[in-house]
mmCIF file of all heavy atoms in Angstrom:
data_model
loop_
_atom_site.group_PDB
_atom_site.id
_atom_site.type_symbol
_atom_site.label_atom_id
_atom_site.label_comp_id
_atom_site.label_asym_id
_atom_site.label_seq_id
_atom_site.Cartn_x
_atom_site.Cartn_y
_atom_site.Cartn_z
ATOM 1 N N VAL A 98 -5.211 -12.087 -0.351
ATOM 2 C CA VAL A 98 -6.140 -11.480 0.597
ATOM 3 C C VAL A 98 -5.621 -10.166 1.084
ATOM 4 O O VAL A 98 -6.311 -9.135 1.116
ATOM 5 C CB VAL A 98 -6.379 -12.381 1.845
ATOM 6 C CG1 VAL A 98 -7.340 -11.750 2.844
ATOM 7 C CG2 VAL A 98 -6.891 -13.720 1.398
ATOM 8 N N ALA A 99 -4.333 -10.196 1.437
ATOM 9 C CA ALA A 99 -3.703 -8.986 1.951
ATOM 10 C C ALA A 99 -3.683 -7.898 0.879
ATOM 11 O O ALA A 99 -3.952 -6.718 1.120
ATOM 12 C CB ALA A 99 -2.304 -9.305 2.430
ATOM 13 N N GLU A 100 -3.430 -8.331 -0.347
ATOM 14 C CA GLU A 100 -3.350 -7.325 -1.444
ATOM 15 C C GLU A 100 -4.700 -6.728 -1.715
ATOM 16 O O GLU A 100 -4.854 -5.536 -1.971
ATOM 17 C CB GLU A 100 -2.672 -7.988 -2.676
ATOM 18 C CG GLU A 100 -1.168 -8.189 -2.473
ATOM 19 C CD GLU A 100 -0.588 -8.988 -3.542
ATOM 20 O OE1 GLU A 100 -1.227 -9.648 -4.344
ATOM 21 O OE2 GLU A 100 0.735 -8.970 -3.550
ATOM 22 N N THR A 101 -5.770 -7.563 -1.746
ATOM 23 C CA THR A 101 -7.131 -7.021 -1.976
ATOM 24 C C THR A 101 -7.402 -6.022 -0.857
ATOM 25 O O THR A 101 -8.012 -5.000 -1.103
ATOM 26 C CB THR A 101 -8.129 -8.153 -1.938
ATOM 27 O OG1 THR A 101 -7.637 -9.227 -2.757
ATOM 28 C CG2 THR A 101 -9.506 -7.678 -2.432
ATOM 29 N N GLN A 102 -7.124 -6.437 0.358
ATOM 30 C CA GLN A 102 -7.425 -5.590 1.538
ATOM 31 C C GLN A 102 -6.700 -4.259 1.361
ATOM 32 O O GLN A 102 -7.306 -3.229 1.559
ATOM 33 C CB GLN A 102 -7.030 -6.277 2.836
ATOM 34 C CG GLN A 102 -7.384 -5.492 4.077
ATOM 35 C CD GLN A 102 -8.858 -5.459 4.423
ATOM 36 O OE1 GLN A 102 -9.631 -6.320 3.920
ATOM 37 N NE2 GLN A 102 -9.297 -4.475 5.188
ATOM 38 N N GLU A 103 -5.516 -4.272 1.009
ATOM 39 C CA GLU A 103 -4.684 -3.036 0.847
ATOM 40 C C GLU A 103 -5.308 -2.198 -0.282
ATOM 41 O O GLU A 103 -5.444 -0.971 -0.125
ATOM 42 C CB GLU A 103 -3.270 -3.449 0.428
ATOM 43 C CG GLU A 103 -2.311 -2.306 0.140
ATOM 44 C CD GLU A 103 -1.926 -1.566 1.451
ATOM 45 O OE1 GLU A 103 -2.116 -2.155 2.563
ATOM 46 O OE2 GLU A 103 -1.438 -0.401 1.352
ATOM 47 N N ASP A 104 -5.727 -2.812 -1.356
ATOM 48 C CA ASP A 104 -6.291 -2.031 -2.469
ATOM 49 C C ASP A 104 -7.641 -1.363 -2.073
ATOM 50 O O ASP A 104 -7.991 -0.300 -2.424
ATOM 51 C CB ASP A 104 -6.538 -2.895 -3.717
ATOM 52 C CG ASP A 104 -5.190 -3.279 -4.358
ATOM 53 O OD1 ASP A 104 -4.184 -2.661 -3.989
ATOM 54 O OD2 ASP A 104 -5.180 -4.225 -5.171
ATOM 55 N N GLU A 105 -8.475 -2.217 -1.456
ATOM 56 C CA GLU A 105 -9.804 -1.831 -1.153
ATOM 57 C C GLU A 105 -9.977 -0.923 0.054
ATOM 58 O O GLU A 105 -10.878 -0.156 0.140
ATOM 59 C CB GLU A 105 -10.736 -3.048 -1.008
ATOM 60 C CG GLU A 105 -10.785 -3.908 -2.222
ATOM 61 C CD GLU A 105 -11.553 -3.211 -3.403
ATOM 62 O OE1 GLU A 105 -12.486 -2.515 -3.161
ATOM 63 O OE2 GLU A 105 -11.133 -3.457 -4.578
ATOM 64 N N ALA A 106 -9.100 -1.195 1.066
ATOM 65 C CA ALA A 106 -9.291 -0.462 2.325
ATOM 66 C C ALA A 106 -8.065 0.223 2.799
ATOM 67 O O ALA A 106 -8.178 1.194 3.552
ATOM 68 C CB ALA A 106 -9.774 -1.408 3.375
ATOM 69 N N GLY A 107 -6.933 -0.141 2.319
ATOM 70 C CA GLY A 107 -5.652 0.530 2.731
ATOM 71 C C GLY A 107 -5.128 0.145 4.123
ATOM 72 O O GLY A 107 -3.996 0.547 4.473
ATOM 73 N N ASP A 108 -5.913 -0.514 4.858
ATOM 74 C CA ASP A 108 -5.501 -0.928 6.200
ATOM 75 C C ASP A 108 -6.165 -2.246 6.573
ATOM 76 O O ASP A 108 -7.125 -2.652 5.856
ATOM 77 C CB ASP A 108 -5.864 0.172 7.238
ATOM 78 C CG ASP A 108 -5.136 -0.037 8.630
ATOM 79 O OD1 ASP A 108 -4.252 -0.842 8.648
ATOM 80 O OD2 ASP A 108 -5.545 0.696 9.553
ATOM 81 N N THR A 110 -4.752 -5.239 6.782
ATOM 82 C CA THR A 110 -4.242 -6.413 6.020
ATOM 83 C C THR A 110 -3.858 -7.600 6.940
ATOM 84 O O THR A 110 -4.206 -8.738 6.638
ATOM 85 C CB THR A 110 -3.001 -6.071 5.213
ATOM 86 O OG1 THR A 110 -2.021 -5.437 6.073
ATOM 87 C CG2 THR A 110 -3.323 -5.069 4.123
ATOM 88 N N ASP A 406 -5.458 6.540 4.222
ATOM 89 C CA ASP A 406 -6.611 5.748 3.625
ATOM 90 C C ASP A 406 -7.842 5.638 4.584
ATOM 91 O O ASP A 406 -8.962 5.830 4.219
ATOM 92 C CB ASP A 406 -6.159 4.376 3.227
ATOM 93 C CG ASP A 406 -5.343 4.394 1.907
ATOM 94 O OD1 ASP A 406 -5.585 5.286 1.113
ATOM 95 O OD2 ASP A 406 -4.472 3.527 1.779
ATOM 96 N N GLN A 410 -11.464 7.241 4.099
ATOM 97 C CA GLN A 410 -12.672 6.457 4.145
ATOM 98 C C GLN A 410 -13.688 6.970 5.128
ATOM 99 O O GLN A 410 -14.899 6.986 4.833
ATOM 100 C CB GLN A 410 -12.309 5.026 4.613
ATOM 101 C CG GLN A 410 -12.045 4.050 3.558
ATOM 102 C CD GLN A 410 -11.586 2.760 4.166
ATOM 103 O OE1 GLN A 410 -12.245 2.191 5.070
ATOM 104 N NE2 GLN A 410 -10.419 2.319 3.800
ATOM 105 N N HIS A 509 -15.779 0.356 6.791
ATOM 106 C CA HIS A 509 -15.582 -0.213 5.501
ATOM 107 C C HIS A 509 -14.418 -1.164 5.585
ATOM 108 O O HIS A 509 -14.455 -2.284 4.914
ATOM 109 C CB HIS A 509 -15.299 0.917 4.523
ATOM 110 C CG HIS A 509 -14.847 0.412 3.214
ATOM 111 N ND1 HIS A 509 -15.783 -0.144 2.292
ATOM 112 C CD2 HIS A 509 -13.660 0.352 2.612
ATOM 113 C CE1 HIS A 509 -15.078 -0.493 1.183
ATOM 114 N NE2 HIS A 509 -13.765 -0.243 1.390
ATOM 115 N N ALA A 510 -13.315 -0.864 6.234
ATOM 116 C CA ALA A 510 -12.182 -1.770 6.278
ATOM 117 C C ALA A 510 -12.529 -3.084 6.901
ATOM 118 O O ALA A 510 -12.008 -4.097 6.518
ATOM 119 C CB ALA A 510 -11.010 -1.062 7.018
ATOM 120 N N GLU A 512 -15.556 -4.517 7.003
ATOM 121 C CA GLU A 512 -16.384 -5.259 6.078
ATOM 122 C C GLU A 512 -15.579 -5.935 5.017
ATOM 123 O O GLU A 512 -15.736 -7.091 4.640
ATOM 124 C CB GLU A 512 -17.383 -4.322 5.325
ATOM 125 C CG GLU A 512 -18.519 -3.815 6.192
ATOM 126 C CD GLU A 512 -19.284 -2.681 5.555
ATOM 127 O OE1 GLU A 512 -18.763 -2.014 4.632
ATOM 128 O OE2 GLU A 512 -20.418 -2.480 6.004
ATOM 129 N N GLN A 513 -14.596 -5.214 4.538
ATOM 130 C CA GLN A 513 -13.709 -5.709 3.486
ATOM 131 C C GLN A 513 -12.868 -6.938 4.044
ATOM 132 O O GLN A 513 -12.634 -7.928 3.388
ATOM 133 C CB GLN A 513 -12.781 -4.656 3.032
ATOM 134 C CG GLN A 513 -11.845 -5.031 1.862
ATOM 135 C CD GLN A 513 -12.660 -5.530 0.626
ATOM 136 O OE1 GLN A 513 -13.588 -4.900 0.189
ATOM 137 N NE2 GLN A 513 -12.242 -6.696 0.100
ATOM 138 N N ALA A 514 -12.398 -6.795 5.275
ATOM 139 C CA ALA A 514 -11.564 -7.841 5.853
ATOM 140 C C ALA A 514 -12.397 -9.159 6.002
ATOM 141 O O ALA A 514 -11.928 -10.231 5.640
ATOM 142 C CB ALA A 514 -11.060 -7.438 7.266
ATOM 143 N N THR A 516 -15.000 -9.946 4.212
ATOM 144 C CA THR A 516 -15.271 -10.480 2.856
ATOM 145 C C THR A 516 -14.074 -11.164 2.263
ATOM 146 O O THR A 516 -14.192 -12.287 1.789
ATOM 147 C CB THR A 516 -15.642 -9.267 1.900
ATOM 148 O OG1 THR A 516 -16.747 -8.547 2.482
ATOM 149 C CG2 THR A 516 -16.022 -9.748 0.543
ATOM 150 N N SER A 517 -12.940 -10.505 2.256
ATOM 151 C CA SER A 517 -11.774 -11.110 1.598
ATOM 152 C C SER A 517 -11.305 -12.354 2.288
ATOM 153 O O SER A 517 -10.878 -13.337 1.687
ATOM 154 C CB SER A 517 -10.670 -10.090 1.314
ATOM 155 O OG SER A 517 -10.502 -9.265 2.382
#
Side-chain angles (χ1 to χ4, degrees):
V98 177
E100 288 171 345
T101 314
Q102 182 72 21
E103 178 72 17
D104 290 346
E105 299 292 325
D108 194 11
T110 54
D406 283 332
Q410 265 175 54
H509 172 75
E512 285 169 342
Q513 183 60 45
T516 305
S517 39

